[in-house]
Amino acid sequence: MRQLAGDRLAMMTAAAGYGDAVRLSLGPKTLYFFNHPDHAKHVLADNAANYHKGIGLAQARRALGDGLLTSEGELWRRQRKVIQPAFQHRRIAQQAGAVAEEAVALVERLRGYEGRGPVNLTRELTGLTLGVLGRTLLDTGLDEFADLGHAFEAVQEQAMFEMITMGMVPMWLPLPRQMRFRRSRVRLQRVVEQLAARRVAHGGPGQGDDALTRLIASVREEPDPRTGDRRLRDELITLLLAGHETTASTLGWACYLMDRHPEVRDRLHREAVEVLGDRLPRYDDLRDLTYTAMVVEEAMRLYPPVWILPRQAQAADEIGGYHVPAGADVLICPYTLHRHPDFWEAPGQFRPERFTPGERGGRPRYAHIPFGAGPRVCVGSSLGLMEAVFTVALLCRELRLEKVEGMRVAPEPMLSLGVRGGLRVRVRTARSTDRAAA
């Protein structure tokens, strides 16, 4: 339990060293860790109905409520049915312009830091992803809610604390973390209530099509208005958290890896110039920004935004020939699965060529699951990928981001896999870099 609290990734990596099926004792719990693509396929897809959200996410319900991330059964199916149309291919394509404009705004904000010292890139990327989420899913700007990032940090810390302590620490105890969480939860509740009230009062363009409108319409069906209000609050908080955190994480790691591999950054710059010229990216450009997409995929392989997938077996089962009792806590860990030496050559190295279109190197489908898999695969993965590809292309076309010298970069496994303490960079423009090279 001390190792789980101190270095969760090291614990999972050590477990993977014992084999593809490992039993772990964790205080009063026994965890069943499976680390093979066939195991992941069985738990997440083939027999997904038998595996509900498990340790960590189950306890995190006290922090997150019953949103799409933590709900189960019929409630989850209804929530997914309501939100799914907001992520249809046609609608995602229509949002490409808004995504590109938010990415350009990020570039311009970062350009203002040139010659002014380091900037916390993680904070800027969070601003980008919240901006995209507001425009594409809520049909509203979120600029006035600049403190949402801090509120979500407190929520994530509490959710992980609930996981480590198995939910056994009373929420009312005045621990600093829990007091910070309670303040943040009140802030988030007020924000989502304000967003919902504005939509009901004023409507707006996109009425009936965006996620916020769909959620408001769905909770009106609840017989008890208080239940409907709680559902709307939980689902909006979950949408805001999951909708921005995973993409910000992916972009942060992509920028870190590009700085470590200048030859990759230079190739990304050339592709962005050749495909885009001086204009903004359009949806159709996704098929031509192939190397950019490869870099994003490889960044998600090394640092998957969804790094752990805990499940609980509802009935006894057999996974890969191993007996799993009813009620067992089962772990699928994309972080270790993506580094499995049987499926990835030199798994610790950054090699975007692994994701050359049409070439999978004979790897099983479930060897790479950065957004999860099966019925509960991340509903916003297509929007997140478009956002990441557009942003990486524009950043590499316009800027050069250099990690602050001497800064130690380490992953922080919360609900998503971020950079501990944030990634601090210095900003140079691509044009000044090109002149210096010449």
Side-chain angles (χ1 to χ4, degrees):
M1 292 186 74
R2 284 195 300 271
Q3 188 173 15
L4 179 62
D7 194 338
R8 293 178 282 278
L9 291 180
M11 175 183 168
M12 301 313 302
T13 301
Y18 287 97
D20 293 343
V22 182
R23 204 165 47 199
L24 302 168
S25 295
L26 186 67
K29 291 274 189 180
T30 298
L31 306 183
Y32 293 75
F33 170 57
F34 290 94
N35 196 46
H36 189 282
D38 292 345
H39 302 158
K41 183 174 182 291
H42 179 89
V43 171
L44 303 176
D46 295 345
N47 199 21
N50 188 51
Y51 293 92
H52 288 187
K53 289 297 180 77
I55 184 172
L57 287 176
Q59 285 77 19
R61 185 173 287 115
R62 294 205 306 186
L64 301 176
D66 273 316
L68 195 64
L69 188 65
T70 56
S71 60
E72 289 291 352
E74 183 57 32
L75 174 60
W76 173 80
R77 281 186 284 274
R78 282 194 287 129
Q79 291 172 331
R80 183 84 175 203
K81 184 178 180 180
V82 168
I83 204 72
Q84 185 79 49
F87 295 94
Q88 288 178 343
H89 176 84
R90 172 190 58 79
R91 194 174 188 282
I92 295 299
Q94 292 172 348
Q95 301 300 321
V99 174
E101 289 168 5
E102 291 294 322
V104 167
L106 168 71
V107 169
E108 293 309 311
R109 288 197 303 273
L110 290 174
R111 198 191 303 276
Y113 285 97
E114 185 176 17
R116 290 176 48 196
V119 56
N120 187 328
L121 182 62
T122 301
R123 186 174 301 138
E124 295 296 331
L125 292 173
T126 298
L128 160 77
T129 54
L130 280 172
V132 168
L133 186 151
R135 292 185 62 180
T136 60
L137 298 183
L138 307 181
D139 199 18
T140 188
L142 296 176
D143 292 345
E144 65 184 288
F145 306 119
D147 61 336
L148 281 180
H150 295 297
F152 282 124
E153 286 177 11
V155 169
Q156 285 208 72
E157 288 177 2
Q158 182 66 25
M160 294 309 299
F161 180 72
E162 294 284 327
M163 174 181 177
I164 294 165
T165 62
M166 313 280 183
M168 293 186 291
V169 178
M171 188 72 78
W172 53 262
L173 281 179
L175 301 176
R177 176 189 286 106
Q178 302 204 146
M179 294 174 67
R180 188 165 58 249
F181 162 71
R182 287 199 291 270
R183 291 193 298 269
S184 296
R185 182 170 60 178
V186 169
R187 172 60 176 154
L188 290 172
Q189 289 172 353
R190 288 175 178 168
V191 168
V192 298
E193 288 166 1
Q194 187 175 344
L195 291 172
R198 286 181 186 176
R199 176 55 52 84
V200 171
H202 305 295
Q207 180 99 349
D209 188 43
D210 61 275
L212 178 55
T213 302
R214 291 180 179 278
L215 287 173
I216 292 173
S218 73
V219 301
R220 285 176 177 157
E221 301 171 3
E222 291 285 353
D224 182 355
R226 291 174 299 179
T227 300
D229 290 343
R230 185 175 64 251
R231 256 195 62 206
L232 180 61
R233 183 190 67 210
D234 291 349
E235 293 187 32
L236 270 178
I237 289 175
T238 298
L239 184 66
L240 286 167
L241 172 62
H244 87 276
E245 186 69 24
T246 52
T247 307
S249 167
T250 294
L251 284 169
W253 287 114
C255 290
Y256 164 70
L257 291 165
M258 288 186 292
D259 177 58
R260 290 192 62 194
H261 299 271
E263 72 285 357
V264 170
R265 182 194 60 226
D266 293 344
R267 183 172 169 183
L268 286 166
H269 174 80
R270 291 194 299 271
E271 180 176 82
V273 170
E274 292 170 2
V275 173
L276 304 177
D278 292 328
R279 63 173 174 81
L280 270 63
R282 299 186 291 259
Y283 185 75
D284 290 345
D285 293 321
L286 287 173
R287 65 171 176 260
D288 296 319
L289 291 168
T290 53
Y291 188 69
T292 308
M294 290 160 56
V295 169
V296 170
E297 293 279 9
E298 176 70 346
M300 291 193 298
R301 182 189 71 83
L302 285 171
Y303 302 102
V306 181
W307 68 277
I308 190 79
L309 296 165
R311 296 290 187 265
Q312 186 176 65
Q314 302 305 292
D317 195 13
E318 185 176 286
I319 302 175
Y322 296 94
H323 175 71
V324 174
D329 289 290
V330 174
L331 298 179
I332 302 294
C333 181
Y335 181 84
T336 56
L337 190 59
H338 292 181
R339 296 163 183 258
H340 197 305
D342 288 354
F343 307 104
W344 305 95
E345 183 181 351
Q349 295 182 11
F350 177 60
R351 295 183 181 180
E353 290 74 17
R354 303 178 201 271
F355 293 95
T356 300
E359 297 181 17
R360 289 175 48 186
R363 292 188 302 271
R365 157 70 183 83
Y366 284 78
H368 186 243
I369 50 172
F371 292 113
R376 298 197 72 140
V377 67
C378 176
V379 69
S381 57
S382 295
L383 176 62
L385 282 171
M386 178 173 71
E387 183 179 356
V389 169
F390 281 5
T391 302
V392 168
L394 290 172
L395 284 174
C396 288
R397 187 182 72 180
E398 302 293 332
L399 303 174
R400 177 172 174 175
L401 306 177
E402 301 171 341
K403 180 179 71 70
V404 172
E405 187 175 354
M407 176 187 175
R408 180 176 178 269
V409 175
E412 184 163 29
M414 303 294 279
L415 292 181
S416 60
L417 189 61
V419 177
R420 181 170 295 140
L423 180 62
R424 299 184 66 80
V425 300
R426 297 186 184 277
V427 181
R428 299 174 64 187
T429 67
R431 285 184 292 277
S432 66
T433 300
D434 293 342
R435 285 198 299 270

